Amino acid sequence: MAIVGRPNVGKSTLFNTLSANGQSIVDDSPGVTRDRIYADCEWAGNNFSLVDTGGVDFESTAFGIHIKEQVEIALGIADVVIFVVDGMVGLTTDDERVVKLLRGYNKPLVLAVNKMDNQTLRDTSLAEFYKLGIGDPLPVSCSQKTGLGDLLDAVVMKLRVKNLLTNAEPADTKRIAIIGKPNAGKSSIVNALLGEKRVMVSDVAGTTRDAVDTPFNYHGKRYILTDTAGIRRKRSVEIETVEYYSVVRAINCIKNSDVVVLVVDATQGLTEQDVRLAGYIHEAGRPSVIAINKWDLVKKDSYTQLEFDKKLAVDLAFMPYFQAIYISALTGQRIGEIMQTVEQVLVTTQKRITTGQLNDIVLNAVAMTPPPFKAGVRPKFLYATQVAVAPPTFALFVNNKNAVGKTYLRYLENTIRKSVDFAGTPLKLLLRNREKD
């Protein structure tokens, strides 16, 4: 969802309320929001990516032109647009000009009339917004948090009409996201896997601007490969460029994938940005494969891969389950191992272990190394059970979950991994309070 409107109508306040994280800057001065800010929100079981945009003004200043360009980029990728107007000010010529801009994109529109804090305002000023011809104006007060449920219901209805909330893919289709820094060789890997030149390959960083989906079959199974734009460090991305949205879409692809292939340029080694991308994957709870590409270009001796493995183990200590393979998309060296490893981790992330086996592992670990005291309390672990897969998720029942520290949870996770092979997939350990019978 893209939130669009002229300056100072309350777009950022609406964004902050819907995302509940206060990421946007809110100020009474027009034009405070200069870049597009992205967050997640949920309504009635539907998950959205929400994008705030700068206010559209039609002055011929360079600043105004840049904001207009940003908004146009947002409209290009949005599935639905919330158009925000100011109910206290009433309908303006600039509102009409913004609507004309919106119509050119043929996207579902929801009209939010903000600052409708009392019934008198609703009675006197709401009707004039019907002149815009984009449907019923919905009265909201972003500051008072009223009318937002009706607004989101209207968004969901628009998406359903456009069939954007339904999944047209067969249920057994798996999505594979290929991510990495610019020029790491992502598109070359996609082409090598497909056996044909389906996406553009260039040594110019940033050739891929958008996420490109390509369906294909492997061993009789359906997959969709998504080649994403290269993700640079945040401070390297100009906010007035298409690249900003390319990064947003790449991160969305991680969240929407079944497995992620992180491509690392072997000639540059594992960089800070590679580690950051691995963190995105880990936080999203997605199984992953780390493809060390351009291995053919690295000067090697008998210790080269061992040294690379050691650096991976240190820098990716937060995800000890990582699966690394050394490949060359250019020569085809070990390129087949990508899909082999992808299939393995997809099986692993669906793995279940019995309650009896899990309790043996966890309670034996607790007996061997009891949890430390926290605030004078030593927690007692009662039992454990697996409650979900993809990623495998385990509920640990204790008498006081607040007394269990993160370090001890990592110890239990490592113990589970030593007993059961969960290579390539994260695990979730959930603490639950329960009194002992």
mmCIF file of all heavy atoms in Angstrom, residues 101-140:
data_model
loop_
_atom_site.group_PDB
_atom_site.id
_atom_site.type_symbol
_atom_site.label_atom_id
_atom_site.label_comp_id
_atom_site.label_asym_id
_atom_site.label_seq_id
_atom_site.Cartn_x
_atom_site.Cartn_y
_atom_site.Cartn_z
ATOM 1 N N LEU A 101 -2.973 12.565 -11.473
ATOM 2 C CA LEU A 101 -1.736 11.765 -11.517
ATOM 3 C C LEU A 101 -2.022 10.306 -11.192
ATOM 4 O O LEU A 101 -1.547 9.389 -11.877
ATOM 5 C CB LEU A 101 -0.723 12.349 -10.529
ATOM 6 C CG LEU A 101 0.574 11.561 -10.315
ATOM 7 C CD1 LEU A 101 1.428 11.570 -11.575
ATOM 8 C CD2 LEU A 101 1.363 12.157 -9.142
ATOM 9 N N LEU A 102 -2.828 10.066 -10.160
ATOM 10 C CA LEU A 102 -3.134 8.702 -9.730
ATOM 11 C C LEU A 102 -3.877 7.921 -10.806
ATOM 12 O O LEU A 102 -3.630 6.724 -11.008
ATOM 13 C CB LEU A 102 -3.964 8.729 -8.445
ATOM 14 C CG LEU A 102 -3.294 9.329 -7.200
ATOM 15 C CD1 LEU A 102 -4.256 9.327 -6.026
ATOM 16 C CD2 LEU A 102 -2.032 8.561 -6.845
ATOM 17 N N ARG A 103 -4.795 8.579 -11.490
ATOM 18 C CA ARG A 103 -5.596 7.878 -12.503
ATOM 19 C C ARG A 103 -4.716 7.306 -13.612
ATOM 20 O O ARG A 103 -5.055 6.303 -14.229
ATOM 21 C CB ARG A 103 -6.627 8.826 -13.096
ATOM 22 C CG ARG A 103 -7.830 9.077 -12.200
ATOM 23 C CD ARG A 103 -9.004 9.611 -13.001
ATOM 24 N NE ARG A 103 -10.188 9.771 -12.178
ATOM 25 C CZ ARG A 103 -10.623 10.920 -11.697
ATOM 26 N NH1 ARG A 103 -9.947 12.041 -11.948
ATOM 27 N NH2 ARG A 103 -11.714 10.982 -10.954
ATOM 28 N N GLY A 104 -3.591 7.949 -13.859
ATOM 29 C CA GLY A 104 -2.707 7.468 -14.915
ATOM 30 C C GLY A 104 -2.087 6.121 -14.627
ATOM 31 O O GLY A 104 -1.551 5.482 -15.530
ATOM 32 N N TYR A 105 -2.159 5.667 -13.371
ATOM 33 C CA TYR A 105 -1.544 4.392 -12.996
ATOM 34 C C TYR A 105 -2.555 3.264 -12.878
ATOM 35 O O TYR A 105 -2.177 2.108 -12.688
ATOM 36 C CB TYR A 105 -0.762 4.547 -11.687
ATOM 37 C CG TYR A 105 0.504 5.342 -11.876
ATOM 38 C CD1 TYR A 105 0.493 6.735 -11.843
ATOM 39 C CD2 TYR A 105 1.715 4.715 -12.127
ATOM 40 C CE1 TYR A 105 1.645 7.469 -12.029
ATOM 41 C CE2 TYR A 105 2.877 5.438 -12.318
ATOM 42 C CZ TYR A 105 2.836 6.811 -12.268
ATOM 43 O OH TYR A 105 3.984 7.540 -12.470
ATOM 44 N N ASN A 106 -3.838 3.588 -12.948
ATOM 45 C CA ASN A 106 -4.890 2.574 -12.946
ATOM 46 C C ASN A 106 -4.761 1.604 -11.777
ATOM 47 O O ASN A 106 -4.903 0.400 -11.917
ATOM 48 C CB ASN A 106 -4.883 1.793 -14.271
ATOM 49 C CG ASN A 106 -6.168 1.009 -14.479
ATOM 50 O OD1 ASN A 106 -7.237 1.424 -14.018
ATOM 51 N ND2 ASN A 106 -6.069 -0.122 -15.158
ATOM 52 N N LYS A 107 -4.473 2.156 -10.603
ATOM 53 C CA LYS A 107 -4.366 1.335 -9.398
ATOM 54 C C LYS A 107 -5.612 1.520 -8.547
ATOM 55 O O LYS A 107 -6.244 2.589 -8.565
ATOM 56 C CB LYS A 107 -3.129 1.735 -8.586
ATOM 57 C CG LYS A 107 -1.796 1.501 -9.301
ATOM 58 C CD LYS A 107 -1.567 0.025 -9.560
ATOM 59 C CE LYS A 107 -0.293 -0.249 -10.329
ATOM 60 N NZ LYS A 107 0.923 -0.057 -9.556
ATOM 61 N N PRO A 108 -6.023 0.505 -7.785
ATOM 62 C CA PRO A 108 -7.157 0.674 -6.876
ATOM 63 C C PRO A 108 -6.898 1.818 -5.902
ATOM 64 O O PRO A 108 -5.817 1.910 -5.303
ATOM 65 C CB PRO A 108 -7.233 -0.669 -6.140
ATOM 66 C CG PRO A 108 -6.519 -1.640 -7.037
ATOM 67 C CD PRO A 108 -5.456 -0.857 -7.726
ATOM 68 N N LEU A 109 -7.885 2.703 -5.737
ATOM 69 C CA LEU A 109 -7.734 3.884 -4.896
ATOM 70 C C LEU A 109 -8.714 3.850 -3.731
ATOM 71 O O LEU A 109 -9.878 3.484 -3.895
ATOM 72 C CB LEU A 109 -7.971 5.168 -5.707
ATOM 73 C CG LEU A 109 -7.051 5.436 -6.900
ATOM 74 C CD1 LEU A 109 -7.498 6.695 -7.634
ATOM 75 C CD2 LEU A 109 -5.607 5.587 -6.437
ATOM 76 N N VAL A 110 -8.227 4.217 -2.560
ATOM 77 C CA VAL A 110 -9.074 4.388 -1.388
ATOM 78 C C VAL A 110 -8.872 5.818 -0.908
ATOM 79 O O VAL A 110 -7.746 6.263 -0.678
ATOM 80 C CB VAL A 110 -8.710 3.386 -0.271
ATOM 81 C CG1 VAL A 110 -9.546 3.658 0.974
ATOM 82 C CG2 VAL A 110 -8.920 1.954 -0.759
ATOM 83 N N LEU A 111 -9.977 6.569 -0.756
ATOM 84 C CA LEU A 111 -9.916 7.985 -0.407
ATOM 85 C C LEU A 111 -10.110 8.165 1.095
ATOM 86 O O LEU A 111 -11.178 7.862 1.636
ATOM 87 C CB LEU A 111 -10.984 8.766 -1.181
ATOM 88 C CG LEU A 111 -11.135 10.253 -0.856
ATOM 89 C CD1 LEU A 111 -9.823 10.993 -1.067
ATOM 90 C CD2 LEU A 111 -12.248 10.850 -1.703
ATOM 91 N N ALA A 112 -9.078 8.642 1.783
ATOM 92 C CA ALA A 112 -9.134 8.879 3.233
ATOM 93 C C ALA A 112 -9.193 10.381 3.489
ATOM 94 O O ALA A 112 -8.261 11.119 3.141
ATOM 95 C CB ALA A 112 -7.915 8.272 3.914
ATOM 96 N N VAL A 113 -10.288 10.846 4.078
ATOM 97 C CA VAL A 113 -10.438 12.262 4.426
ATOM 98 C C VAL A 113 -10.020 12.410 5.884
ATOM 99 O O VAL A 113 -10.739 12.014 6.807
ATOM 100 C CB VAL A 113 -11.881 12.751 4.215
ATOM 101 C CG1 VAL A 113 -11.971 14.246 4.502
ATOM 102 C CG2 VAL A 113 -12.335 12.449 2.792
ATOM 103 N N ASN A 114 -8.836 12.952 6.096
ATOM 104 C CA ASN A 114 -8.237 13.014 7.427
ATOM 105 C C ASN A 114 -8.689 14.262 8.195
ATOM 106 O O ASN A 114 -9.244 15.203 7.622
ATOM 107 C CB ASN A 114 -6.706 13.003 7.288
ATOM 108 C CG ASN A 114 -6.021 12.824 8.628
ATOM 109 O OD1 ASN A 114 -6.583 12.233 9.553
ATOM 110 N ND2 ASN A 114 -4.814 13.336 8.756
ATOM 111 N N LYS A 115 -8.412 14.241 9.500
ATOM 112 C CA LYS A 115 -8.693 15.342 10.439
ATOM 113 C C LYS A 115 -10.190 15.563 10.637
ATOM 114 O O LYS A 115 -10.628 16.665 10.969
ATOM 115 C CB LYS A 115 -8.013 16.640 9.978
ATOM 116 C CG LYS A 115 -6.508 16.473 9.721
ATOM 117 C CD LYS A 115 -5.843 17.764 9.289
ATOM 118 C CE LYS A 115 -4.378 17.525 8.938
ATOM 119 N NZ LYS A 115 -3.693 18.767 8.498
ATOM 120 N N MET A 116 -10.956 14.495 10.438
ATOM 121 C CA MET A 116 -12.411 14.555 10.662
ATOM 122 C C MET A 116 -12.683 14.165 12.114
ATOM 123 O O MET A 116 -13.187 13.085 12.421
ATOM 124 C CB MET A 116 -13.133 13.627 9.694
ATOM 125 C CG MET A 116 -12.815 13.898 8.233
ATOM 126 S SD MET A 116 -13.450 15.491 7.662
ATOM 127 C CE MET A 116 -15.136 15.060 7.328
ATOM 128 N N ASP A 117 -12.333 15.086 13.020
ATOM 129 C CA ASP A 117 -12.352 14.764 14.443
ATOM 130 C C ASP A 117 -13.725 14.899 15.090
ATOM 131 O O ASP A 117 -13.929 14.456 16.215
ATOM 132 C CB ASP A 117 -11.361 15.660 15.200
ATOM 133 C CG ASP A 117 -9.928 15.445 14.733
ATOM 134 O OD1 ASP A 117 -9.650 14.372 14.186
ATOM 135 O OD2 ASP A 117 -9.099 16.354 14.918
ATOM 136 N N ASN A 118 -14.666 15.527 14.422
ATOM 137 C CA ASN A 118 -15.995 15.657 15.026
ATOM 138 C C ASN A 118 -17.073 15.539 13.954
ATOM 139 O O ASN A 118 -16.812 15.643 12.758
ATOM 140 C CB ASN A 118 -16.143 16.984 15.775
ATOM 141 C CG ASN A 118 -15.882 18.187 14.887
ATOM 142 O OD1 ASN A 118 -16.605 18.404 13.911
ATOM 143 N ND2 ASN A 118 -14.852 18.968 15.206
ATOM 144 N N GLN A 119 -18.296 15.327 14.406
ATOM 145 C CA GLN A 119 -19.408 15.076 13.496
ATOM 146 C C GLN A 119 -19.742 16.296 12.650
ATOM 147 O O GLN A 119 -20.163 16.167 11.488
ATOM 148 C CB GLN A 119 -20.652 14.657 14.295
ATOM 149 C CG GLN A 119 -21.791 14.146 13.436
ATOM 150 C CD GLN A 119 -21.411 12.906 12.640
ATOM 151 O OE1 GLN A 119 -20.796 11.991 13.174
ATOM 152 N NE2 GLN A 119 -21.772 12.872 11.360
ATOM 153 N N THR A 120 -19.534 17.493 13.192
ATOM 154 C CA THR A 120 -19.844 18.706 12.438
ATOM 155 C C THR A 120 -18.997 18.779 11.165
ATOM 156 O O THR A 120 -19.499 19.096 10.078
ATOM 157 C CB THR A 120 -19.595 19.947 13.303
ATOM 158 O OG1 THR A 120 -20.414 19.872 14.465
ATOM 159 C CG2 THR A 120 -19.915 21.218 12.527
ATOM 160 N N LEU A 121 -17.707 18.460 11.307
ATOM 161 C CA LEU A 121 -16.820 18.455 10.137
ATOM 162 C C LEU A 121 -17.290 17.436 9.110
ATOM 163 O O LEU A 121 -17.291 17.691 7.909
ATOM 164 C CB LEU A 121 -15.388 18.141 10.556
ATOM 165 C CG LEU A 121 -14.464 19.316 10.873
ATOM 166 C CD1 LEU A 121 -13.110 18.802 11.323
ATOM 167 C CD2 LEU A 121 -14.304 20.203 9.645
ATOM 168 N N ARG A 122 -17.700 16.279 9.595
ATOM 169 C CA ARG A 122 -18.148 15.234 8.672
ATOM 170 C C ARG A 122 -19.371 15.691 7.893
ATOM 171 O O ARG A 122 -19.495 15.441 6.693
ATOM 172 C CB ARG A 122 -18.447 13.945 9.445
ATOM 173 C CG ARG A 122 -17.239 13.353 10.139
ATOM 174 C CD ARG A 122 -17.547 12.003 10.734
ATOM 175 N NE ARG A 122 -16.398 11.475 11.459
ATOM 176 C CZ ARG A 122 -16.244 10.201 11.778
ATOM 177 N NH1 ARG A 122 -17.173 9.327 11.438
ATOM 178 N NH2 ARG A 122 -15.183 9.801 12.438
ATOM 179 N N ASP A 123 -20.275 16.350 8.570
ATOM 180 C CA ASP A 123 -21.509 16.781 7.921
ATOM 181 C C ASP A 123 -21.269 17.886 6.897
ATOM 182 O O ASP A 123 -21.976 17.970 5.884
ATOM 183 C CB ASP A 123 -22.507 17.268 8.978
ATOM 184 C CG ASP A 123 -22.980 16.142 9.889
ATOM 185 O OD1 ASP A 123 -22.853 14.969 9.479
ATOM 186 O OD2 ASP A 123 -23.444 16.445 11.004
ATOM 187 N N THR A 124 -20.277 18.754 7.152
ATOM 188 C CA THR A 124 -20.115 19.942 6.312
ATOM 189 C C THR A 124 -19.103 19.781 5.184
ATOM 190 O O THR A 124 -19.239 20.423 4.136
ATOM 191 C CB THR A 124 -19.687 21.141 7.177
ATOM 192 O OG1 THR A 124 -18.455 20.813 7.863
ATOM 193 C CG2 THR A 124 -20.754 21.482 8.197
ATOM 194 N N SER A 125 -18.092 18.951 5.378
ATOM 195 C CA SER A 125 -17.010 18.942 4.384
ATOM 196 C C SER A 125 -16.809 17.618 3.662
ATOM 197 O O SER A 125 -16.084 17.566 2.668
ATOM 198 C CB SER A 125 -15.682 19.349 5.048
ATOM 199 O OG SER A 125 -15.289 18.385 6.011
ATOM 200 N N LEU A 126 -17.428 16.544 4.137
ATOM 201 C CA LEU A 126 -17.165 15.242 3.534
ATOM 202 C C LEU A 126 -17.715 15.148 2.113
ATOM 203 O O LEU A 126 -17.069 14.608 1.214
ATOM 204 C CB LEU A 126 -17.768 14.130 4.407
ATOM 205 C CG LEU A 126 -17.331 12.701 4.083
ATOM 206 C CD1 LEU A 126 -15.837 12.536 4.301
ATOM 207 C CD2 LEU A 126 -18.104 11.703 4.954
ATOM 208 N N ALA A 127 -18.907 15.706 1.900
ATOM 209 C CA ALA A 127 -19.600 15.517 0.626
ATOM 210 C C ALA A 127 -18.820 16.075 -0.556
ATOM 211 O O ALA A 127 -18.869 15.516 -1.668
ATOM 212 C CB ALA A 127 -20.984 16.164 0.691
ATOM 213 N N GLU A 128 -18.079 17.181 -0.361
ATOM 214 C CA GLU A 128 -17.404 17.794 -1.508
ATOM 215 C C GLU A 128 -16.345 16.896 -2.127
ATOM 216 O O GLU A 128 -15.986 17.063 -3.299
ATOM 217 C CB GLU A 128 -16.779 19.125 -1.101
ATOM 218 C CG GLU A 128 -15.629 19.024 -0.118
ATOM 219 C CD GLU A 128 -15.011 20.375 0.192
ATOM 220 O OE1 GLU A 128 -14.828 21.165 -0.753
ATOM 221 O OE2 GLU A 128 -14.720 20.648 1.378
ATOM 222 N N PHE A 129 -15.844 15.913 -1.379
ATOM 223 C CA PHE A 129 -14.792 15.053 -1.919
ATOM 224 C C PHE A 129 -15.341 14.008 -2.894
ATOM 225 O O PHE A 129 -14.567 13.324 -3.565
ATOM 226 C CB PHE A 129 -14.024 14.383 -0.777
ATOM 227 C CG PHE A 129 -13.164 15.350 -0.006
ATOM 228 C CD1 PHE A 129 -13.592 15.868 1.208
ATOM 229 C CD2 PHE A 129 -11.940 15.773 -0.515
ATOM 230 C CE1 PHE A 129 -12.811 16.767 1.913
ATOM 231 C CE2 PHE A 129 -11.154 16.669 0.181
ATOM 232 C CZ PHE A 129 -11.584 17.165 1.395
ATOM 233 N N TYR A 130 -16.686 13.887 -2.961
ATOM 234 C CA TYR A 130 -17.272 13.022 -3.994
ATOM 235 C C TYR A 130 -16.957 13.568 -5.389
ATOM 236 O O TYR A 130 -16.985 12.816 -6.367
ATOM 237 C CB TYR A 130 -18.784 12.915 -3.804
ATOM 238 C CG TYR A 130 -19.202 11.920 -2.754
ATOM 239 C CD1 TYR A 130 -19.529 12.338 -1.466
ATOM 240 C CD2 TYR A 130 -19.285 10.553 -3.050
ATOM 241 C CE1 TYR A 130 -19.929 11.426 -0.493
ATOM 242 C CE2 TYR A 130 -19.675 9.632 -2.084
ATOM 243 C CZ TYR A 130 -19.987 10.075 -0.809
ATOM 244 O OH TYR A 130 -20.367 9.174 0.148
ATOM 245 N N LYS A 131 -16.650 14.866 -5.481
ATOM 246 C CA LYS A 131 -16.342 15.467 -6.780
ATOM 247 C C LYS A 131 -15.096 14.847 -7.421
ATOM 248 O O LYS A 131 -14.923 14.932 -8.644
ATOM 249 C CB LYS A 131 -16.123 16.966 -6.613
ATOM 250 C CG LYS A 131 -17.335 17.737 -6.128
ATOM 251 C CD LYS A 131 -16.988 19.207 -5.919
ATOM 252 C CE LYS A 131 -18.160 19.987 -5.345
ATOM 253 N NZ LYS A 131 -17.785 21.401 -5.081
ATOM 254 N N LEU A 132 -14.242 14.221 -6.612
ATOM 255 C CA LEU A 132 -13.017 13.618 -7.152
ATOM 256 C C LEU A 132 -13.325 12.398 -8.011
ATOM 257 O O LEU A 132 -12.512 12.003 -8.842
ATOM 258 C CB LEU A 132 -12.069 13.237 -6.010
ATOM 259 C CG LEU A 132 -11.478 14.409 -5.226
ATOM 260 C CD1 LEU A 132 -10.692 13.899 -4.011
ATOM 261 C CD2 LEU A 132 -10.567 15.243 -6.124
ATOM 262 N N GLY A 133 -14.488 11.775 -7.787
ATOM 263 C CA GLY A 133 -14.896 10.653 -8.627
ATOM 264 C C GLY A 133 -14.087 9.391 -8.436
ATOM 265 O O GLY A 133 -13.920 8.600 -9.377
ATOM 266 N N ILE A 134 -13.595 9.172 -7.214
ATOM 267 C CA ILE A 134 -12.796 7.945 -6.979
ATOM 268 C C ILE A 134 -13.412 7.095 -5.873
ATOM 269 O O ILE A 134 -12.725 6.331 -5.205
ATOM 270 C CB ILE A 134 -11.329 8.282 -6.644
ATOM 271 C CG1 ILE A 134 -11.239 9.225 -5.436
ATOM 272 C CG2 ILE A 134 -10.625 8.884 -7.831
ATOM 273 C CD1 ILE A 134 -9.802 9.456 -4.980
ATOM 274 N N GLY A 135 -14.722 7.231 -5.698
ATOM 275 C CA GLY A 135 -15.403 6.403 -4.710
ATOM 276 C C GLY A 135 -15.750 7.168 -3.457
ATOM 277 O O GLY A 135 -15.556 8.385 -3.361
ATOM 278 N N ASP A 136 -16.283 6.429 -2.479
ATOM 279 C CA ASP A 136 -16.747 7.051 -1.245
ATOM 280 C C ASP A 136 -15.579 7.602 -0.433
ATOM 281 O O ASP A 136 -14.605 6.883 -0.169
ATOM 282 C CB ASP A 136 -17.493 6.027 -0.383
ATOM 283 C CG ASP A 136 -18.796 5.585 -1.025
ATOM 284 O OD1 ASP A 136 -19.325 6.359 -1.853
ATOM 285 O OD2 ASP A 136 -19.268 4.478 -0.713
ATOM 286 N N PRO A 137 -15.656 8.865 -0.012
ATOM 287 C CA PRO A 137 -14.640 9.396 0.895
ATOM 288 C C PRO A 137 -14.844 8.819 2.293
ATOM 289 O O PRO A 137 -15.971 8.811 2.809
ATOM 290 C CB PRO A 137 -14.893 10.907 0.871
ATOM 291 C CG PRO A 137 -16.310 11.058 0.450
ATOM 292 C CD PRO A 137 -16.648 9.881 -0.416
ATOM 293 N N LEU A 138 -13.790 8.300 2.885
ATOM 294 C CA LEU A 138 -13.883 7.666 4.199
ATOM 295 C C LEU A 138 -13.331 8.609 5.256
ATOM 296 O O LEU A 138 -12.154 8.978 5.220
ATOM 297 C CB LEU A 138 -13.102 6.351 4.207
ATOM 298 C CG LEU A 138 -13.558 5.312 3.188
ATOM 299 C CD1 LEU A 138 -12.633 4.106 3.209
ATOM 300 C CD2 LEU A 138 -14.991 4.881 3.482
ATOM 301 N N PRO A 139 -14.166 9.057 6.212
ATOM 302 C CA PRO A 139 -13.695 9.980 7.245
ATOM 303 C C PRO A 139 -12.801 9.259 8.250
ATOM 304 O O PRO A 139 -13.169 8.198 8.783
ATOM 305 C CB PRO A 139 -14.988 10.462 7.902
ATOM 306 C CG PRO A 139 -15.960 9.343 7.683
ATOM 307 C CD PRO A 139 -15.594 8.718 6.374
ATOM 308 N N VAL A 140 -11.641 9.829 8.503
ATOM 309 C CA VAL A 140 -10.725 9.266 9.490
ATOM 310 C C VAL A 140 -10.116 10.413 10.293
ATOM 311 O O VAL A 140 -10.101 11.572 9.865
ATOM 312 C CB VAL A 140 -9.593 8.443 8.836
ATOM 313 C CG1 VAL A 140 -10.143 7.292 8.018
ATOM 314 C CG2 VAL A 140 -8.683 9.322 7.993
#
